[in-house]
């Protein structure tokens, strides 16, 4: 997702990966070039893209030559311009179904149904994820990964202070208040480098306070966003912000700085996503890590237990103007191989967790990352059973989602009321629903 919601990492110069490829030599061998623009990638990601995708694909066959360019944070704007002009890449990656809607409605990407039938994609992908890219009965993209918000916590800190893992709002607030009393920040959080952190938090509040069934009704137009369950969710987020649960430096800390507060025992917990496993500075892949992770518990009365949140972090489509759609589809099929799945998830965990039935998460056993392995396995099971909430970046339409991110800060800073915030959200949502811009909802069961 442009600059992804999950990663705030340094970009590398455009064409850096492509520059390392023997483009000319291979072109002379008669291969058809397949172009692919990527958003941002840290140093581990750059190496994984080069070794596990580009070089591995090009070595796997002699018909196509994959050329991948890392465009950085500007990739979304570059794509918009290029697709309109008809000179974009063959492979079009978006930041999720909410971003795919506009280009699919504009006819800028090809329906993939013929390729889906040829390669049996509809039988292989988990239906809840694949169906997020179906518009008007046609499939326009494949989900590149699945992810969810989780509660990360410092287990050594919990053990030291005798805190029990919270199972509901009361227990969560008891731990948070106990942490505050000891000068420990309850939740490490910061949006200095990515304002989208606001929607990470609001995904948790909307789903875990109002309940996933009410969120689903609102997304289907059957319940207004101004309904009492959502008022309660926004009011709770404001109350927690005002109590200092997210620390005093939310607007000045980066994502990495705030998460490291938890790792270093300066904060107790963090609401973050499965993409956090891909940042090695967090140390969660080490056997002696102080970190642990769990699904987020209920924060209201709408449901009991805990919840994962259905999210597709990126979609992959083929440009309508592509001169090599067959080659792009061949790259997609390569991504579904066992070898790619294993190497990419080993080298860049959390970035390419393909939601495919015949690539079950237990294949990741042995990559030496138990926290990641168990989390992905739990996600796979929850999504397969249709038990999940809904992330804002996957299911909210674009303008509504932008206001969700910007407007909540005005609530937290006492510039507008929760009612005014939700009223504006409902107005935007109603308009986008009329215009057919609300991403499709998946069935509740696979």
């Amino acid at each position: 997702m442009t600059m992804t919601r999950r990663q705030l990492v340094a970009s590398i110069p455009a064409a850096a990966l492509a520059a390392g490829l023997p483009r000319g030599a291979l072109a002379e061998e008669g291969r058809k070039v397949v172009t692919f623009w990527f958003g941002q990638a840290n140093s581990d990601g750059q190496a994984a893209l080069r070794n596990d995708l580009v070089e591995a694909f090009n070595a796997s066959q002699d018909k196509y030559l994959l050329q991948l360019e890392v465009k950085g944070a500007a990739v979304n704007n570059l794509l918009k311009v290029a697709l309109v002009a008809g000179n974009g890449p063959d492979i079009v990656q978006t930041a999720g179904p909410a971003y795919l809607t506009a280009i699919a409605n504009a006819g800028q990407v090809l329906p993939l149904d013929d390729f889906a039938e040829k390669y049996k994609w509809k039988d292989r992908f988990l239906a809840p994820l694949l169906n997020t890219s179906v518009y008007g009965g046609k499939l326009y993209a494949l989900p590149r990964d699945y992810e969810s918000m989780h509660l990360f916590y410092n287990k050594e800190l919990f053990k030291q202070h005798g805190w029990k893992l919270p199972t509901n709002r009361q227990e969560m607030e008891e731990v948070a208040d106990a942490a505050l009393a000891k000068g420990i920040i309850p939740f490490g959080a910061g949006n200095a480098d990515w304002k989208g952190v606001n929607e990470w938090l609001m995904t948790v509040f909307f789903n875990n306070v109002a309940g996933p069934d009410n969120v689903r009704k609102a997304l289907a137009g059957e319940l207004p966003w101004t309904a009492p369950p959502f008022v309660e969710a926004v009011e709770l987020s404001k109350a927690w912000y005002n109590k200092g649960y997210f620390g005093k430096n939310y607007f000045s800390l980066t994502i990495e700085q705030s998460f490291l507060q938890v790792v270093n025992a300066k904060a107790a917990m963090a609401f973050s996503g499965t993409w956090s496993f891909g940042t090695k500075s967090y140390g969660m892949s080490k056997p002696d890590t102080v970190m642990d992770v769990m699904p987020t518990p209920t924060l209201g009365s709408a449901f009991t237990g805990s919840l994962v949140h259905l999210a597709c972090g990126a979609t992959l489509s083929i440009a309508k103007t592509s001169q090599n759609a067959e080659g792009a589809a061949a790259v997609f099929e390569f991504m579904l191989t066992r070898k790619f799945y294993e190497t990419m998830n080993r080298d860049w965990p959390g970035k390419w967790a393909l939601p495919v039935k015949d690539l079950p998460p237990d294949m990741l056993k042995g990559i030496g990352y138990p926290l990641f392995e168990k989390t992905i396995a739990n996600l796979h099971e929850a999504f397969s059973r249709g038990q999940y909430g809904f992330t804002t970046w996957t299911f909210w339409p674009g303008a509504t989602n932008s206001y969700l991110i910007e407007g909540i800060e005005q609530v937290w800073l006492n510039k507008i009321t929760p009612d005014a915030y939700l009223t504006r959200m409902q107005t935007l949502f109603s308009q986008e629903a009329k215009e057919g811009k609300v991403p499709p909802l998946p069935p509740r069961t696979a």
Side-chain angles (χ1 to χ4, degrees):
M1 28 188 80
T2 57
M3 177 183 206
T4 72
R5 281 180 172 79
R6 300 151 299 277
Q7 291 191 308
L8 270 297
V9 290
S11 63
I12 62 175
L17 294 185
L21 301 174
R23 179 185 302 184
L26 289 172
E28 291 176 0
E29 296 173 4
R31 298 193 187 199
K32 291 185 176 180
V33 171
V34 181
T35 53
F36 181 9
W37 291 357
F38 203 86
Q40 289 189 267
N42 59 18
S43 58
D44 296 323
Q46 295 168 30
L49 288 170
R50 179 176 57 250
N51 298 328
D52 301 334
L53 178 56
V54 177
E55 293 184 357
F57 173 77
N58 289 338
S60 71
Q61 44 71 50
D62 58 7
K63 294 179 64 178
Y64 308 111
L65 173 65
L66 176 61
Q67 294 180 348
L68 186 149
E69 297 182 30
V70 177
K71 295 291 189 181
V75 67
N76 267 8
N77 289 334
L78 292 171
L79 265 178
K80 288 179 183 177
V81 174
L83 289 174
V84 170
N87 57 8
D90 297 297
I91 297 176
V92 177
Q93 177 174 287
T94 78
Y99 296 78
L100 174 67
T101 308
I103 61 174
N105 286 340
Q108 294 170 339
V109 290
L110 292 173
L112 300 181
D113 298 277
D114 289 344
F115 290 123
E117 181 174 355
K118 176 181 178 180
Y119 293 115
K120 309 299 182 188
W121 289 339
K122 293 183 180 178
D123 296 330
R124 300 177 66 186
F125 278 84
L126 296 176
L129 273 299
L130 189 67
N131 289 340
T132 60
S133 296
V134 174
Y135 302 89
K138 295 182 179 179
L139 176 68
Y140 283 95
L142 298 180
R144 194 198 66 192
D145 56 23
Y146 57 161
E147 55 192 21
S148 173
M149 294 298 297
H150 273 66
L151 181 68
F152 293 80
Y153 62 96
N154 186 310
K155 63 183 180 184
E156 296 299 326
L157 205 54
F158 269 67
K159 181 179 179 181
Q160 177 185 345
H161 294 289
W163 299 333
K164 294 182 179 179
L165 293 178
T167 63
N168 53 47
R169 182 195 301 183
Q170 178 180 342
E171 294 176 3
M172 183 78 85
E173 292 181 338
E174 288 174 355
V175 172
D177 290 338
L180 276 179
K182 294 182 178 299
I184 298 169
I185 301 166
F187 299 95
N191 76 345
D193 53 352
W194 179 238
K195 189 163 286 193
V197 173
N198 298 352
E199 67 172 323
W200 301 358
L201 299 178
M202 293 314 298
T203 285
V204 172
F205 283 109
F206 276 128
N207 284 279
N208 290 55
V209 175
D213 289 340
N214 283 327
V215 172
R216 184 182 182 86
K217 288 178 181 177
L219 292 169
E222 299 168 357
L223 184 69
W225 290 109
T226 52
F230 304 120
V231 175
E232 180 185 358
V234 176
E235 287 181 339
L236 183 65
S237 77
K238 179 181 178 180
W240 282 20
Y241 177 85
N242 289 338
K243 290 180 70 174
Y245 279 10
F246 302 122
K248 299 179 180 178
N249 300 307
Y250 178 78
F251 295 108
S252 60
L253 289 178
T254 66
I255 293 172
E256 184 165 357
Q257 288 170 336
S258 60
F259 197 95
L260 285 173
Q261 288 180 320
V262 188
V263 177
N264 296 324
K266 297 185 182 301
M269 303 170 279
F271 290 120
S272 191
T274 45
W275 52 88
S276 299
F277 290 113
T279 303
K280 290 188 176 179
S281 65
Y282 299 160
M284 292 192 293
S285 64
K286 299 177 181 176
D288 59 348
T289 179
V290 299
M291 298 296 294
D292 208 338
V293 60
M294 60 182 284
T296 50
T298 179
L299 298 176
S301 59
F303 72 100
T304 58
S306 58
L307 193 66
V308 298
H309 311 91
L310 182 63
C312 172
T315 64
L316 297 166
S317 300
I318 301 175
K320 184 177 181 180
T321 56
S322 172
Q323 299 299 307
N324 192 5
E326 289 283 352
V331 174
F332 294 169
E333 186 63 10
F334 173 79
M335 293 176 186
L336 300 180
T337 61
R338 176 172 184 155
K339 181 67 174 177
F340 176 79
Y341 183 74
E342 290 179 327
T343 56
M344 182 58 81
N345 281 287
R346 177 198 64 200
D347 297 336
W348 203 10
K351 193 65 176 178
W352 228 291
L354 289 157
V356 180
K357 298 175 186 176
D358 53 359
L359 293 175
D362 58 10
M363 285 176 52
L364 298 178
K365 289 182 178 179
I367 67 172
Y369 204 157
L371 280 185
F372 176 65
E373 296 167 24
K374 80 169 186 179
T375 302
I376 293 300
N378 290 339
L379 274 184
H380 190 90
E381 181 181 358
F383 292 164
S384 298
R385 289 187 281 110
Q387 298 176 348
Y388 46 76
F390 302 87
T391 53
T392 59
W393 57 93
T394 304
F395 296 103
W396 268 245
T400 307
N401 193 42
S402 294
Y403 180 72
L404 178 146
I405 295 170
E406 297 288 341
I408 194 61
E409 291 187 359
Q410 298 180 52
V411 174
W412 293 343
L413 298 175
N414 298 313
K415 295 182 178 178
I416 61 174
T417 65
D419 285 338
Y421 172 65
L422 290 168
T423 297
R424 177 61 178 162
M425 185 182 299
Q426 178 61 39
T427 299
L428 291 169
F429 183 85
S430 296
Q431 183 60 39
E432 293 196 294
K434 290 179 182 176
E435 297 170 354
K437 294 181 178 178
V438 180
L441 286 168
R444 292 299 283 174
T445 56

